[in-house]
Structure formats: structure tokens, C-alpha cells
Amino acid sequence: MAVTRLGRNPMYQQIADALREQIADGRLAPDAKLPTEAELRTMYDVSRETVRKALGLLVNEGLVVSARPQGHFVRRRQPMVFRPQAEFRKRPHSKEMDAFMTEFSAEGREPRQLIEVAIVEPPAEVAKRLHLQPGALVAVRKRVRYLDGEPFNINDSYFPLDLVRDSEIMRPEDITRGANEVLAELGHRQVRALTELYVRMPTPDESRRLDLGPGTPVGYHLLTGFTEEGKPVRVAITVLPGDRHVISHELFREEAP
């Protein structure tokens, strides 16, 4: 891509476009080091500020990482596949690890998760979906999931407190067979789920928990699980950084009667 002072866009945008094109077509491969700021200044005959603005655009897009004083490098991206339709499928697990840990360990990656459990007043969107009365409390399992040392997503699950009090759900540790099975054992098996997906910018708390760079949008996935009687018993909120995930949703055609 030609970079020219007569171009329609400012120089820093043209430089960013040129580098982005090289990343897209593989001329700049994952982990490759970009030309230094001094080299880019000479190459395009521009100021340091112009070069820094161009690199800043690519950093904000998640294409490049800054590793000062070494320089800027093309980010290696190995996205996680998020499958909403897998909610009630039987998942592989071991006696030591839950489904998330088992699945990604099998792929040769290094998963881990930080788990916190608390009793709280639910956010309004959770209270509404659980049909809770004012003042009712919930148990929340807050998880940040990591792959290869990088925080990949947030998964926070809310349960009416009177359903799960004194159960394994209240412990801040892996539940190898999954919280859904614990609920079922307590007499609240989920047979249906409503999922909602929004795309927005992250909140400050989400940015902090996920160590997000500026300008990174997130997918905001809400899942409400219902029993056979139609009672909502769980709301799971998953926050998916747009530069770290592929959302794969499988559809089946219903046969005509």
C-alpha cells in the first residue's frame, strides 16, 4: 500500500494501513518485530509523533504488542472458540479438572482459572432474569479464565442463594462435574436455556480483570437456565474480548412434521 502526503487519510493512518496489510498477508508473521520507530521515521519521512500514532492504532486494535525497550511485535493470536450451544452437552472432564481445564489441556495449552465466591445483592439484569424479589440475595461464582498466561474471558454465574446454600457451588474451587450437575442433584435440573449476546465496550472493572488495552470491544453473553417447570435457576454472564475469541454457533434445521 502506497503511503503519500497526497493521500486522503493522515500519514499516521496510512502507515498503520501499510503495516496492517503486511500483517494480514503474512509478510509480518506472528512474533515478528516491526521496524523501529527510527526506521519508520526514515522510511516514511515523518515525525516521531506520527510514527507513534500509527503504532498506537495497531496496538489498540490488538494486532501489535509493545515490549519496550525491545520494540513492537506482531501479536500471536490463537483465539478460543466459544460455543454457546454446548451448554447442556456432556463434556469431558477428569476427577481433578473441570470441563474448561480438561478441554484446553488436551489441546496442549495451559489453562487456569481464578475463582471467587460471594453472597451479594444481584445486579438488576440478574435479578430480573431470576425473577427475584427485592432484597433477595444470590451466590455468585466469579471466574477469570486464562490460557497460556493471558486472561481470556470472564465467566460469572449467579444462583438464588436459597437453592445452593451449603452446596459445592459455595466453594471457590473447580467443580469437576460442573455446577449444572450440582444444581440437578439439588433438584433443579436445567432443561432449557435462553442466551443473549451483546457487543459493546468493556466496563472499567472488565478491563481491569481482563487486562484489556484501550479500544478492545467485548462480546457480552447472558445465559439464563430454566428447569422443566420453567423456573430460572442460574444466570451466567461471560465477557469475551473480541480479539481473543471466535463465537461458533451450530444450527440444526427442524424437519417438517
Side-chain angles (χ1 to χ4, degrees):
M1 176 178 293
V3 176
T4 171
R5 296 186 184 280
L6 299 178
R8 181 173 300 177
N9 294 325
M11 287 292 291
Y12 76 91
Q13 288 187 0
Q14 294 184 58
I15 295 170
D17 290 344
L19 293 171
R20 189 187 299 107
E21 184 178 274
Q22 294 176 53
I23 293 171
D25 66 18
R27 282 177 287 167
L28 285 171
D31 299 327
K33 184 177 180 181
L34 270 63
T36 66
E37 290 184 5
E39 289 170 339
L40 289 171
R41 288 173 60 192
T42 300
M43 189 181 307
Y44 296 111
D45 190 24
V46 293
S47 68
R48 174 183 293 180
E49 180 63 24
T50 297
V51 167
R52 290 186 171 179
K53 288 178 71 175
L55 294 172
L57 281 180
L58 300 177
V59 170
N60 288 345
E61 292 173 15
L63 294 176
V64 167
V65 293
S66 175
R68 295 183 183 277
Q70 293 91 343
H72 290 78
F73 296 83
V74 177
R75 182 178 180 183
R76 177 173 292 277
R77 306 174 81 174
Q78 188 177 358
M80 171 182 170
V81 178
F82 178 71
R83 298 180 176 89
Q85 72 271 16
E87 176 65 21
F88 295 142
R89 290 181 182 173
K90 188 174 182 179
R91 304 178 187 181
H93 65 269
S94 70
K95 294 181 179 179
E96 295 79 24
M97 298 184 294
D98 70 2
F100 167 75
M101 299 289 287
T102 304
E103 178 180 354
F104 289 98
S105 293
E107 291 184 3
R109 306 186 72 175
E110 296 182 8
R112 70 181 179 92
Q113 51 188 343
L114 297 180
I115 304 174
E116 300 177 19
V117 175
I119 298 173
V120 299
E121 291 188 7
E125 62 184 354
V126 172
K128 175 182 177 181
R129 286 164 175 79
L130 289 176
H131 300 172
L132 297 178
Q133 297 296 319
L137 298 177
V138 297
V140 57
R141 290 176 60 83
K142 293 189 172 185
R143 293 185 289 183
V144 179
R145 290 168 163 170
Y146 292 76
L147 285 177
D148 304 320
E150 182 178 17
F152 255 65
N153 63 51
I154 290 169
N155 180 260
D156 294 345
S157 294
Y158 296 82
F159 309 84
L161 182 60
D162 59 349
L163 300 188
V164 300
R165 193 190 304 270
D166 300 325
S167 73
E168 290 173 75
I169 287 171
M170 303 301 297
R171 302 174 189 169
E173 56 192 33
D174 290 349
I175 301 175
T176 57
R177 65 193 184 285
N180 285 348
E181 281 304 308
V182 175
L183 270 178
E185 293 163 7
L186 294 170
H188 309 290
R189 181 175 295 280
Q190 298 163 86
V191 300
R192 179 172 66 90
L194 173 66
T195 69
E196 305 164 70
L197 180 62
Y198 305 85
V199 178
R200 58 166 174 74
M201 298 307 294
T203 66
D205 181 63
E206 291 164 354
S207 293
R208 176 187 60 80
R209 293 174 71 187
L210 291 168
D211 193 22
L212 297 179
T216 304
V218 297
Y220 187 73
H221 181 258
L222 281 151
L223 179 146
T224 306
F226 297 85
T227 64
E228 189 171 2
E229 297 75 27
K231 179 180 179 179
V233 293
R234 170 174 168 256
V235 171
I237 298 176
T238 307
V239 182
L240 307 156
D243 61 346
R244 303 173 197 174
H245 292 83
V246 173
I247 299 174
S248 174
H249 201 122
E250 187 176 12
L251 302 176
F252 293 91
R253 186 181 66 183
E254 292 187 7
E255 295 296 333

